[in-house]
Amino acid sequence: MNKKAIILLIACSIIGTSCSKTFEKAPVDYVNPYIGNISHMLVPTYPTVHLPNSMLRIYPERSDYTSDRLHGLPVVVTSHRGSSAFNISPIHCNKQKLEPVFSYSYDKEIITPYGYSVYLDEANIDVDYAPSHQSAIYNFQFEDKQNNFLIINTQNGGLRFTHEGGLAGYQIVENGGSKTKVYLYLETEQIPLSKGALTVSGEINTTIDSVSGQNKALIMAFGNDKSINLRYGISFISIEQAKKNLHREIADYDLKEIAETGRNIWNETLGKIAIQGGSEDDKTLFYTSLYRTYERMINISEDGQYYSPFDKTLHTDNGIAFYTDDWVWDTYRATHPLRVLIEPEMEKSMIQSYIRMAKQSTDGWLPTFPEITGDSHRMNGNHGVAVILDAYTKGLTDFNLEDAYRACRGAIRNKSLLPWTKQPLTELDKFYWEKGFYPALHPEDEEYCTTVHPGEKRQSIAITLGNSYDNWCLA
């Protein structure tokens, strides 16, 4: 036995505790973001890095979650299963031809709720990342001593270098024809030796300081700087607000401090439920599932204001945070009822957000799948009414019940029950309200209702069952 081991044993015996307590897991240590990343039928869950219900979320962007290639490094995911808006590509390059986004092979990937690290093995670059609520920080360690670059890409938007030495821009995110802009403000601790725009031929043009359009990029050259620190803020309001969000949350370039703050937030959040007994695997499944409940909805209030995609207008939140990105078909059974118990104030704000969304919509209907781009009508039924009823009967009554009822009734009685479409009543809906069930087709019959989704079909049984429950909740 060596001297270090003897000293450790003596120390443990002196303080009268088991050495195992030194390594006792906190709740967040049980979270495994990789669970559920592979699905043979539906879109899987992704290994998301974020703080609870926060506006800024990322996960590694790859073609699928068994892929050995990364599509650049992510900046912000605007839907819990969408692609990243913007990409960052650190490169060591002697080649003439550059690309807007680089594809990386990778190794040693570690994902926690509060941080991400990966080794880009062919590029010889170590990457560390930590998020705050509306901002984040990257550290890049280059093994090569020269020709080190950072490439910042927007798939559909614009980027420019600022007079203060930063980089600012926007990207348009779109769903079903509805568009929203996400804004970026970015700074580096190290001063670039040169800056420019990526040309169509893959070269750097240092006379251009702004770009716009599809798949455009700006480039910063850092020469032989082996360590580059980058921090950025995002916003749905403006570039100036993105800058404010960054400077409010991240004062310097201390990535470890941001990661530790995030770790503490997650432990406090997950620690709202303490569990006893069970195996280590049981605890992993429990705390991973609990972590997943904090992925949606997200708080998009920024310094007391929020951009609403439902009327494309900037609003004051009046001290009540505005939440969106809730695919409620997934969350009404368990996630919302759990939040009534462990996060009642947050749940009240979410219900009030639903009512605001309805008021901001031209039809006044409760949304079905509210996202950052507005209401994307997916699946069948409108289970927001069940969320509101459940919360109200459990004592969360701090919202206008008449407004809630009006929004729910309009969404159920005046909107078609057909999945994957948002429109007034069709002939099938009128049949339902008259006969009490949604009509099916005989197997050999062709569809005669032109508004039925060609892929999703009528879903007669699912609509009849789901809407019967929603009607009961409304009544």
Side-chain angles (χ1 to χ4, degrees):
M1 184 178 291
N2 60 38
K3 289 183 179 180
K4 288 184 178 179
I6 294 172
I7 292 170
L8 182 59
L9 287 172
I10 293 172
C12 287
S13 64
I14 289 173
I15 62 177
T17 61
S18 167
C19 290
S20 64
K21 288 188 177 180
T22 305
F23 308 104
E24 185 176 350
K25 284 186 176 180
V28 74
D29 297 323
Y30 286 103
V31 175
N32 181 358
Y34 291 104
I35 290 177
N37 289 183
I38 300 173
S39 172
H40 300 291
M41 294 181 67
L42 297 174
V43 177
T45 59
Y46 294 161
T48 310
V49 181
H50 65 111
L51 299 187
N53 301 98
S54 288
M55 197 166 82
L56 179 63
R57 298 167 291 179
I58 67 131
Y59 41 73
E61 191 171 345
R62 33 197 172 215
S63 58
D64 65 58
Y65 281 78
T66 60
S67 172
D68 60 355
R69 308 295 296 186
L70 296 176
H71 184 69
L73 295 170
V75 173
V76 57
V77 174
T78 56
S79 167
H80 73 281
R81 60 197 238 184
S83 60
S84 176
F86 309 103
N87 294 93
I88 298 173
S89 298
I91 62 166
H92 164 75
C93 189
N94 289 312
K95 298 185 300 183
Q96 282 293 107
K97 186 172 176 59
L98 300 175
E99 301 169 12
V101 182
F102 271 71
S103 176
Y104 298 101
S105 65
Y106 62 96
D107 197 4
K108 304 177 184 177
E109 184 180 76
I110 299 174
I111 299 179
T112 67
Y114 55 87
Y116 175 60
S117 65
V118 69
Y119 178 58
L120 309 178
D121 51 7
E122 292 177 343
N124 296 321
I125 301 171
D126 275 303
V127 178
D128 279 304
Y129 175 88
S132 189
H133 296 284
Q134 298 168 343
S135 60
I137 186 168
Y138 268 110
N139 172 260
F140 308 107
Q141 294 289 336
F142 294 80
E143 291 184 13
D144 294 297
K145 296 182 179 180
Q146 55 186 350
N147 297 323
N148 296 325
F149 297 84
L150 290 182
I151 302 175
I152 315 299
N153 164 260
T154 177
Q155 288 91 2
N156 180 19
L159 297 168
R160 62 178 172 83
F161 292 114
T162 68
H163 297 302
E164 301 88 353
L167 182 150
Y170 70 92
Q171 181 165 321
I172 298 171
V173 292
E174 184 175 1
N175 183 29
S178 181
K179 300 177 181 180
T180 295
K181 284 184 178 180
V182 53
Y183 297 93
L184 170 71
Y185 181 82
L186 180 153
E187 298 174 336
T188 59
E189 183 175 26
Q190 292 72 25
I191 299 174
L193 297 180
S194 63
K195 298 182 288 188
L198 180 66
T199 66
V200 176
S201 60
E203 299 176 341
I204 304 174
N205 187 334
T206 56
T207 66
I208 300 176
D209 62 3
S210 66
V211 292
S212 63
Q214 299 284 333
N215 208 27
K216 299 296 183 180
L218 293 179
I219 302 176
M220 294 177 279
F222 291 89
N224 57 7
D225 275 332
K226 294 185 65 176
S227 179
I228 300 174
N229 297 316
L230 177 155
R231 62 184 183 179
Y232 67 89
I234 59 141
S235 171
F236 293 111
I237 296 175
S238 66
I239 289 172
E240 186 59 33
Q241 186 63 51
K243 183 178 179 180
K244 290 178 181 178
N245 294 344
L246 168 62
H247 292 163
R248 176 178 8 91
E249 295 182 349
I250 300 180
D252 50 33
Y253 291 88
D254 190 340
L255 188 146
K256 289 183 178 179
E257 180 182 358
I258 299 302
E260 186 63 26
T261 298
R263 175 180 169 81
N264 292 338
I265 290 171
W266 270 113
N267 274 325
E268 181 182 355
T269 301
L270 298 176
K272 292 178 185 293
I273 301 179
I275 58 176
Q276 295 180 340
S279 66
E280 291 295 284
D281 286 345
D282 292 335
K283 293 175 182 177
T284 294
L285 289 173
F286 177 84
Y287 280 115
T288 300
S289 299
L290 187 57
Y291 139 83
R292 289 291 181 192
T293 69
Y294 285 92
E295 188 176 25
R296 294 175 274 168
M297 304 167 72
I298 59 166
N299 178 355
I300 64 168
S301 283
E302 307 177 51
D303 289 332
Q305 294 183 305
Y306 67 93
Y307 170 80
S308 171
F310 299 89
D311 64 358
K312 309 299 182 185
T313 302
L314 187 63
H315 296 265
T316 300
D317 69 13
N318 295 316
I320 302 171
F322 186 83
Y323 288 82
T324 189
D325 197 34
D326 185 19
W327 298 24
V328 70
W329 196 86
D330 305 336
T331 59
Y332 81 98
R333 295 175 182 87
T335 304
H336 279 283
L338 174 65
R339 203 153 38 219
V340 170
L341 301 177
I342 64 175
E343 300 281 4
E345 292 303 315
M346 185 187 298
E347 184 66 18
K348 282 196 292 187
S349 294
M350 291 178 180
I351 291 172
Q352 289 170 327
S353 296
Y354 263 99
I355 297 171
R356 288 169 171 176
M357 295 172 196
K359 287 185 174 182
Q360 292 161 7
S361 301
T362 55
D363 46 42
W365 298 338
L366 196 75
T368 309
F369 273 47
E371 297 187 65
I372 196 61
T373 49
D375 184 18
S376 59
H377 189 82
R378 305 170 190 257
M379 308 307 290
N380 56 66
N382 194 312
H383 303 314
V385 61
V387 169
I388 294 173
L389 174 65
D390 179 69
Y392 193 85
T393 56
K394 291 174 180 175
L396 298 191
T397 59
D398 190 18
F399 58 88
N400 190 308
L401 191 62
E402 289 297 323
D403 286 344
Y405 175 76
R406 191 177 302 110
C408 291
R409 190 182 191 284
I412 290 175
R413 293 302 304 259
N414 301 330
K415 178 170 65 64
S416 174
L417 304 178
L418 282 170
W420 299 87
T421 183
K422 185 177 181 181
Q423 59 186 327
L425 301 181
T426 67
E427 57 199 294
L428 303 180
D429 302 293
K430 294 172 183 176
F431 181 97
Y432 171 85
W433 291 114
E434 180 183 346
K435 305 294 186 182
F437 66 93
Y438 222 69
L441 284 172
H442 289 288
E444 66 274 11
D445 289 348
E446 291 187 8
E447 181 59 69
Y448 58 83
C449 183
T450 58
T451 52
V452 172
H453 190 285
E456 295 291 331
K457 311 299 183 184
R458 291 190 183 187
Q459 301 186 12
S460 303
I461 294 174
I463 288 176
T464 300
L465 290 174
N467 205 65
S468 295
Y469 178 62
D470 291 342
N471 277 331
W472 182 86
C473 293
L474 180 66

